[in-house]
Amino acid sequence: MRSIVSMRWVLARMYEPDLAIVDCRFALSDPEAGRRSCAESYIPGAIHMDLERDLSGPVGKHGGRHPLPDIAELAAKLGKVTWGMSRSM
């Protein structure tokens, strides 16, 4: 699986108090692979969010397999997992 940031970047910043790491590993061929991968190689302090359950909107006529979610709904989900934190993601 490819990463948005490098492991070196994560290691250098993972204990910064104002940073939330969202682990959203996912494999299109195996939707549960990301969750298994997170369980097998947990990033300390990371928040797991699933591409299909948490980070995609409803599939419609247009928009692809994982369309962008409603921004207010995404903000609410991120707010729940980072409750009480003032963080960058």
Side-chain angles (χ1 to χ4, degrees), residues 42-85:
Y42 178 70
I43 300 168
I47 300 155
H48 178 262
M49 295 189 84
D50 185 89
L51 175 64
E52 291 184 334
R53 293 183 200 116
D54 302 312
L55 302 174
S56 296
V59 176
K61 185 174 181 179
H62 301 288
R65 186 172 172 183
H66 298 99
L68 294 173
D70 174 77
I71 192 67
E73 190 175 311
L74 178 61
K77 287 179 182 180
L78 289 170
K80 283 181 184 178
V81 297
T82 60
W83 179 80
M85 301 174 188

